[in-house]
Amino acid sequence: MSLVHEIDYGTPASKSEKLVTLTIDGMTVQVPEGTSIMRAAMEVGNQIPKLCATDMLDAFGSCRLCLVEIEGRNGTPASCTTPVADGIVVKTQTERLKKIRKGVMELYISDHPLDCLTCSANGDCELQDMAGVVGLRDVRYGYEGENHTKLGKDESNPYFTYEKSKCIVCNRCVRACEEVQGTFALTISGRGFDSRVSPGMDESFLSSECVSCGACVQSCPTATLNEKAMYNIGTPEHSVVTTCAYCGVGCTFKAEMRGDELVRMVPYKDGKANRGHSCVKGRFAYGYAVHQDRILKPMIRSSIHEPWKEVSYEEAIAYAASEFKRIQEKYGKRSVGGITSSRCTNEETYLVQKLIRGGFGNNNVDTCARVCHSPTGYGLSVTYGTSAGTQDFDSVEASDVVLIIGANPTDGHPVFGSRLKKRLRQGAKLIVVDPRRTDVVRSPHIEAAYHLPLRPGTNVAIVTAMAHVIVTEGLVNEQFVRERCDWEEFQEWAAFVAEERHSPEAVEKYTGVPADAVRGAARLYATGGNGAIYYGLGVTEHSQGSTTVIAIANLAMATGNIGRNGVGVNPLRGQNNVQGSCDMGSFPHELPGYRHISDDATRASFEALWGVGLDDEPGLRIPNMFDAAVEGTYKGMYVQGEDILQSDPDTKHVSAGLAALECLVVQDLFLNETANYAHVFLPGCSFLEKDGTFTNAERRIQRIRKVMAPKNGYADWEVTQMLSNALGFPMTYSHPGEIMDEIAALTPSFAGVNYKLLDEMGSVQWPCNEKAPEGTPIMHIGGFVRGKGKFMLTEYVPTDEKTGPRFPLLLTTGRILSQYNVGAQTRRTENVVWHPEDVLEIHAHDAEVRGIRDGDFVKLDSRAGSTSLRAVISDRVAPGVVYTTFHHPVTQANVVTTDYSDWATNCPEYKVTAVQVSPSNGPTQWQEEYENLSRTSRRIAAE
Ligand code: SF4
Ligand code: SF4
Ligand code: SF4
Ligand code: FES
């Protein structure tokens, strides 16, 4: 194995379709108009020396190393900033050019520390390379003159260093932060000889606006900005292309290795979701994979009050299987079930649902998507015919208006957030519907045209009010609707939304959003060109989550914003494989490919291949599993890669359900909070240690590849296979590729997918089959999957969760960039420096009337429970609304969330909880008990 090297063409590709022909060093070259001479030369394999240019960034033309001669033109223009022209004749190597380049390099090297042999970038430094390329053997000026070689080092960032003495002021980092990341954290301070890169106002990286995306580090041609691992481990010697295991963006990385040690994760330019960019989690926060807290040996115990006992895999699996069999014999076939993981691969998820349906003989399988995007599956399926987003991420580059509802892309989906911000800086307009003023509402060089800060729980009213404006002001795209949708249903819908009670003025009193702003936003979305909708859990995690998804689908159809580049309806999926876990049949009523379990023909095809009869009754959903456990009819559960105690609502009810189980098998990297109630613990395997595929929010199926051996001995799919065999339902796969072949054989939308295709194409978006052998980047082109698009009425029904004198505030929850979900991984990395605890954002007015100061500990009470945490006074939330994250188990925001849920899918209403906030002295009693329980559990495991 060797390092995967990507070609750097020096400047970005031109998108022009017009071709230009020129001659470079005697070779004829044909390239798109607008291409730089540097890139054109590279296309024919002629690498012009460069330092300030890289193809991730627009040309800047500062280093003067890339000069060329053009016949008939004076001077020596920079090839990075000079575009090609028809018929020009370019020379890249002449005596004059060689002399100038050598002179330039002499100046750089005379002011550079000559510690190449001990430098962390030795062998991976463009300055070093260019010295060789131009044939520099000596420096006429010597090294004794005025220089910067004694400048200090900024090591404040946990992941990379800034060694000022090595900076050549090429500006690549500054431009990367602006153009790629969109944070504008860096400037060049000082002038002339004193010029230096500066984070913020001459601050340290850690205290600046920097969000640690790593784009500057990646772009730096020297060791000035360098990963700390390059110092600690050394330069990598081989790499493997794989996919990030954090969020639903699905960034592709090169895992660069030295032996079996991971040196760094470098974003892959050919990655179709990220196009060479990354965020702090995927780029740097992978240390959890080798964290000492990982449990590497199976453990069992007959009661949750006993200490864990380390056993062999054989013993643990035999114990689990015998317990499941005993429970089924005693309480019936449907008394056991399991939960698949959106963190695990498609192949693993497929196997768990197969084990439950075939091995347990029932359909009691559900997934954490239940608690996040199940309304997306339902809403988009009934209106369009497919339970998935409609576009690829590239599509945003063609959007003119972007409507973001209940999503916070710069924190939750950061690389998409950066791509979106780039488009906004190019002039696209933005509408944000969110109770909180998220970063994207106003950030450097970006200002939303409209921010509609609605009261939590009123999404349906706002989106329907936008539809009211579009219908009553004659902004409907009638041609699209007549051609593509059911016209009668449209008319019924149009009459419904046109009712005065749906007008922005009528709904203002309960949404809290000024009618004028709703009208303006609706007009902009309908008339501003290509309109794209992106939404997140702020839409789905409501009692009317499915209704809002339907309302969004209606809005896109009414305006004709579906079925082409730049438009569409795009759910921003939370976890890395939440799309995949849904695709793979993780819901109790659906087999892989979203086919109902009651469909005889579908069931028959699975029965034939699996060699087992299947139950035709849908099984239990997650909340029903806990209800049944408390009632005593559900007794055994296999949970792979999820911490349901922390991630599901109404923690008290969940823990009561878990405590009532006679056999809980938890498979995870760490002894998570759910494992406090487990009888069998099976060690999980990180994404670095196994093969498989994830499917991201674009329906993009991507490979993850094993870069190191599983520290626990087995990949998760192998452990599931062992359990299935012990249950008497044989599985004999020798590689996940065989599991994918079976998925393809049974699932029409995956029929063309196999590992060979994925290796050749890099990734593919489903449907991928005979009709679309290379996949489907954009859905519903020319017609909806279901035939005619279906308009549905969206009556606004206020949630039963009401504010009142006891609970006068509304709590809504979300994520922060540096942490991820329940924090099991990110809390075990240096990312904690940015978010060591969950805090409660509260408006100054609400804080003042309660006597709360910034930083005070406060008690957060709801009808479901109470917790305590620190308050931060913030104008990001409106009076009456408070906000927190749920990354730390000691806070457990879900202790206060209720068990209200979406009417169609049971997706919990995390986003609306009536609460009271009051001053407090510290953690509540349960928090102290909980900490003790977790500590004891961990100690017992360690012993
Ligand atoms: S790490 Fe990212 S955000 Fe921070 S300075 Fe570099 S490019 Fe900017
Ligand atoms: S830190 Fe690196 S990328 Fe930035 S100006 Fe200096 S040498 Fe160039
Ligand atoms: S944006 Fe998501 S997929 Fe990409 S690096 Fe960050 S966490 Fe990973
Ligand atoms: S690479 Fe062209 S001027 Fe620096």
Side-chain angles (χ1 to χ4, degrees):
M1 276 192 288
S2 56
L3 277 172
V4 175
H5 280 295
E6 293 169 279
I7 297 172
D8 185 346
Y9 289 89
T11 60
S14 161
K15 289 189 176 149
S16 172
E17 286 176 6
K18 190 173 165 207
L19 293 177
V20 168
T21 306
L22 67 158
T23 305
I24 301 178
D25 295 333
M27 284 180 286
T28 304
V29 192
Q30 203 171 47
V31 290
E33 191 176 47
T35 303
S36 69
I37 289 176
M38 173 178 278
R39 188 172 179 112
M42 202 63 195
E43 298 277 357
V44 289
N46 191 347
Q47 189 177 355
I48 299 174
K50 63 180 177 58
L51 274 173
C52 69
T54 175
D55 58 11
M56 288 288 289
L57 305 171
D58 290 340
F60 190 60
S62 70
C63 75
R64 310 298 292 163
L65 203 60
C66 69
L67 309 183
V68 291
E69 291 179 20
I70 304 173
E71 263 181 34
R73 291 196 197 171
N74 292 332
T76 51
S79 63
C80 61
T81 50
T82 309
V84 293
D86 237 339
I88 60 171
V89 176
V90 179
K91 288 205 178 97
T92 71
Q93 274 295 82
T94 65
E95 287 312 312
R96 175 161 72 140
L97 293 173
K98 284 185 204 165
K99 205 169 153 198
I100 298 173
R101 287 179 190 148
K102 240 184 206 174
V104 169
M105 282 307 296
E106 276 183 285
L107 285 171
Y108 278 125
I109 298 297
S110 67
D111 183 14
H112 200 80
L114 296 176
D115 60 354
C116 286
L117 283 182
T118 52
C119 177
S120 59
N122 188 16
D124 183 39
C125 170
E126 291 180 43
L127 188 69
Q128 198 179 45
D129 293 346
M130 287 308 123
V133 164
V134 304
L136 190 71
R137 297 291 169 259
D138 199 8
V139 171
R140 282 170 292 164
Y141 319 113
Y143 305 100
E144 307 309 323
E146 199 183 353
N147 62 43
H148 300 89
T149 56
K150 299 285 183 295
L151 293 178
K153 213 176 186 180
D154 174 359
E155 298 189 278
S156 61
N157 186 287
Y159 298 115
F160 59 84
T161 53
Y162 171 35
E163 199 170 345
K164 297 176 190 174
S165 60
K166 294 185 172 165
C167 179
I168 59 170
V169 202
C170 66
N171 213 284
R172 273 161 66 158
C173 54
V174 179
R175 287 178 287 141
C177 194
E178 293 175 3
E179 292 175 30
V180 180
Q181 167 56 25
T183 292
F184 293 78
L186 301 178
T187 51
I188 300 285
S189 65
R191 288 171 166 233
F193 183 77
D194 292 327
S195 307
R196 235 22 32 182
V197 171
S198 158
M201 306 294 287
D202 257 334
E203 298 159 70
S204 70
F205 265 89
L206 190 62
S207 57
S208 74
E209 295 291 305
C210 166
V211 293
S212 263
C213 71
C216 56
V217 181
Q218 193 184 346
S219 69
C220 182
T222 65
T224 313
L225 290 164
N226 210 353
E227 294 92 351
K228 285 184 177 171
M230 294 281 278
Y231 290 81
N232 301 335
I233 304 175
T235 45
E237 36 75 27
H238 74 271
S239 54
V240 180
V241 175
T242 191
T243 306
C244 177
Y246 277 115
C247 86
V249 175
C251 297
T252 309
F253 283 90
K254 292 181 286 184
E256 295 195 342
M257 310 290 295
R258 170 157 286 276
D260 70 347
E261 241 186 314
L262 179 55
V263 179
R264 59 182 179 183
M265 295 285 274
V266 180
Y268 194 47
K269 284 193 294 186
D270 278 352
K272 296 194 175 84
N274 58 323
R275 303 284 179 198
H277 191 34
S278 60
C279 83
V280 61
K281 294 188 286 285
R283 178 78 156 94
F284 297 117
Y286 47 78
Y288 69 87
V290 291
H291 195 276
Q292 57 180 16
D293 283 356
R294 257 187 83 175
I295 306 285
L296 302 175
K297 300 259 173 58
M299 301 187 296
I300 59 173
R301 56 183 176 180
S302 53
S303 145
I304 60 169
H305 306 295
E306 283 180 16
W308 284 108
K309 184 174 111 188
E310 262 182 25
V311 293
S312 66
Y313 272 97
E314 290 72 23
E315 192 178 339
I317 296 284
Y319 180 72
S322 70
E323 278 296 278
F324 284 133
K325 283 183 193 164
R326 178 187 67 76
I327 289 169
Q328 285 192 298
E329 268 166 33
K330 188 168 171 194
Y331 300 100
K333 201 164 75 169
R334 292 182 179 157
S335 60
V336 296
I339 294 177
T340 70
S341 174
S342 295
R343 324 301 325 280
C344 288
T345 64
N346 285 318
E347 294 76 1
E348 287 162 346
T349 307
Y350 173 85
L351 277 206
V352 172
Q353 64 87 35
K354 178 175 176 178
L355 176 147
I356 289 162
R357 298 186 201 280
F360 287 168
N362 66 48
N363 294 308
N364 289 337
V365 56
D366 209 352
T367 178
C368 61
R370 166 77 49 219
V371 300
C372 66
H373 265 288
S374 50
T376 289
Y378 177 81
L380 295 184
S381 170
V382 292
T383 50
Y384 296 168
T386 302
S387 298
T390 63
Q391 311 296 115
D392 57 6
F393 286 138
D394 285 352
S395 168
V396 76
E397 291 170 15
S399 299
D400 301 307
V401 181
V402 178
L403 169 55
I404 297 181
I405 311 181
N408 181 5
T410 50
D411 280 76
H413 303 85
V415 165
F416 171 72
S418 289
R419 296 187 70 178
L420 166 70
K421 287 201 288 185
K422 185 168 190 171
R423 181 64 193 147
L424 296 174
R425 290 196 303 275
Q426 289 166 347
K429 299 278 187 291
L430 176 67
I431 303 162
V432 177
V433 180
D434 202 295
R436 188 164 167 265
R437 200 188 69 239
T438 52
D439 279 349
V440 81
V441 172
R442 194 173 307 123
S443 58
H445 303 277
I446 288 169
E447 172 115 40
Y450 295 95
H451 173 212
L452 312 184
L454 75 178
R455 275 179 71 73
T458 60
N459 283 328
V460 171
I462 283 288
V463 182
T464 306
M466 288 179 73
H468 173 94
V469 177
I470 287 164
V471 167
T472 56
E473 296 190 8
L475 306 178
V476 168
N477 183 338
E478 194 176 319
Q479 188 189 349
F480 178 92
V481 175
R482 280 186 183 277
E483 282 172 11
R484 302 279 304 272
C485 307
D486 185 306
W487 181 247
E488 274 184 26
E489 283 168 351
F490 164 75
Q491 285 176 306
E492 200 187 328
W493 172 80
F496 167 78
V497 299
E499 290 172 28
E500 186 47 35
R501 67 194 176 96
H502 296 308
S503 70
E505 291 72 18
V507 301
E508 181 176 337
K509 55 183 172 296
Y510 47 89
T511 63
V513 182
D516 278 357
V518 179
R519 286 194 177 273
R523 289 173 194 140
L524 177 60
Y525 173 69
T527 63
N530 282 342
I533 301 177
Y534 291 84
Y535 70 89
L537 304 183
V539 159
T540 53
E541 289 177 343
H542 287 270
S543 60
Q544 280 205 293
S546 291
T547 317
T548 310
V549 174
I550 292 167
I552 286 170
N554 290 338
L555 209 60
M557 285 191 288
T559 52
N561 277 315
I562 203 87
R564 63 178 191 279
N565 198 23
V567 298
V569 173
N570 306 279
L572 292 171
R573 302 286 187 152
Q575 310 221 47
N576 54 322
N577 199 33
V578 72
Q579 178 71 54
S581 74
C582 298
D583 302 341
M584 291 299 106
S586 292
F587 289 130
H589 65 294
E590 282 172 342
L591 285 160
Y594 304 98
R595 286 157 307 151
H596 205 278
I597 190 78
S598 63
D599 182 73
D600 292 342
T602 306
R603 231 177 31 259
S605 67
F606 281 84
E607 287 173 338
L609 203 76
W610 291 357
V612 67
L614 296 178
D615 190 346
D616 62 356
E617 282 283 319
L620 296 173
R621 296 171 172 185
I622 292 176
N624 309 124
M625 290 180 190
F626 299 132
D627 295 344
V630 171
E631 284 161 17
T633 56
Y634 185 75
K635 291 287 184 182
M637 179 141 86
Y638 171 31
V639 182
Q640 184 179 71
E642 288 298 333
D643 193 358
I644 45 177
L645 182 62
Q646 227 197 132
S647 60
D648 282 51
D650 199 354
T651 307
K652 270 198 236 162
H653 185 56
V654 178
S655 56
L658 292 175
L661 296 174
E662 291 186 10
C663 179
L664 173 62
V665 178
V666 168
Q667 186 176 8
D668 209 295
L669 295 177
F670 306 105
L671 207 56
N672 61 24
E673 307 307 317
T674 306
N676 288 328
Y677 295 88
H679 305 87
V680 179
F681 186 87
L682 300 171
C685 177
S686 81
F687 78 112
L688 296 167
E689 299 158 312
K690 60 190 179 188
D691 282 296
T693 57
F694 293 150
T695 306
N696 77 353
E698 313 161 280
R699 296 167 280 106
R700 187 181 299 284
I701 306 159
Q702 311 196 88
R703 284 279 277 115
I704 63 159
R705 295 181 177 87
K706 185 156 128 180
V707 303
M708 55 178 78
K711 303 217 171 301
N712 54 316
Y714 293 102
D716 297 328
W717 65 269
E718 292 176 292
V719 176
T720 305
Q721 173 159 293
M722 285 190 256
L723 180 58
S724 191
N725 287 331
L727 285 165
F729 180 47
M731 293 185 184
T732 55
Y733 308 100
S734 60
H735 189 272
E738 295 169 11
I739 306 174
M740 179 53 82
D741 292 342
E742 183 175 311
I743 294 165
L746 288 168
T747 314
S749 52
F750 274 64
V753 181
N754 55 62
Y755 279 19
K756 185 164 171 285
L757 180 84
L758 294 175
D759 288 344
E760 281 164 12
M761 292 189 57
S763 61
V764 69
Q765 287 170 270
W766 67 256
C768 172
N769 46 31
E770 236 176 43
K771 275 196 216 150
E774 297 199 345
T776 312
I778 295 176
M779 304 274 302
H780 314 299
I781 294 175
F784 286 98
V785 169
R786 73 180 298 279
K788 291 283 185 190
K790 184 176 180 63
F791 280 89
M792 293 172 72
L793 307 192
T794 53
E795 191 69 62
Y796 168 60
V797 181
T799 170
D800 287 338
E801 178 68 356
K802 306 264 192 270
T803 52
R806 274 182 67 212
F807 303 109
L809 304 172
L810 280 179
L811 169 75
T812 189
T813 59
R815 289 185 185 178
I816 197 160
L817 168 70
S818 59
Q819 292 294 326
Y820 182 73
N821 206 354
V822 296
Q825 295 145 293
T826 42
R827 278 186 288 108
R828 290 181 171 95
T829 70
E830 306 269 7
N831 278 26
V832 285
V833 303
W834 292 287
H835 186 74
E837 60 184 327
D838 291 320
V839 295
L840 186 79
E841 286 184 11
I842 184 168
H843 190 273
H845 170 77
D846 294 326
E848 196 184 340
V849 295
R850 289 167 176 78
I852 295 166
R853 289 160 307 175
D854 197 50
D856 279 356
F857 237 89
V858 294
K859 190 149 168 278
L860 181 67
D861 290 295
S862 77
R863 292 181 184 94
S866 57
T867 187
S868 57
L869 68 177
R870 262 175 234 288
V872 167
I873 295 177
S874 166
D875 63 358
R876 282 176 179 258
V877 287
V881 177
V882 290
Y883 167 88
T884 190
T885 48
F886 50 92
H887 301 306
H888 290 269
V890 69
T891 317
Q892 286 232 8
N894 287 332
V895 165
V896 296
T897 52
T898 68
D899 60 1
Y900 292 120
S901 64
D902 176 44
W903 60 272
T905 66
N906 270 152
C907 182
E909 190 166 50
Y910 287 121
K911 301 295 181 188
V912 192
T913 309
V915 293
Q916 178 59 293
V917 179
S918 50
S920 137
N921 292 328
T924 59
Q925 192 186 343
W926 79 258
Q927 282 175 296
E928 281 172 1
E929 284 168 8
Y930 197 84
E931 272 283 90
N932 288 340
L933 178 64
S934 298
R935 256 197 302 271
T936 310
S937 204
R938 272 192 286 274
R939 181 176 51 73
I940 291 169
E943 285 165 7

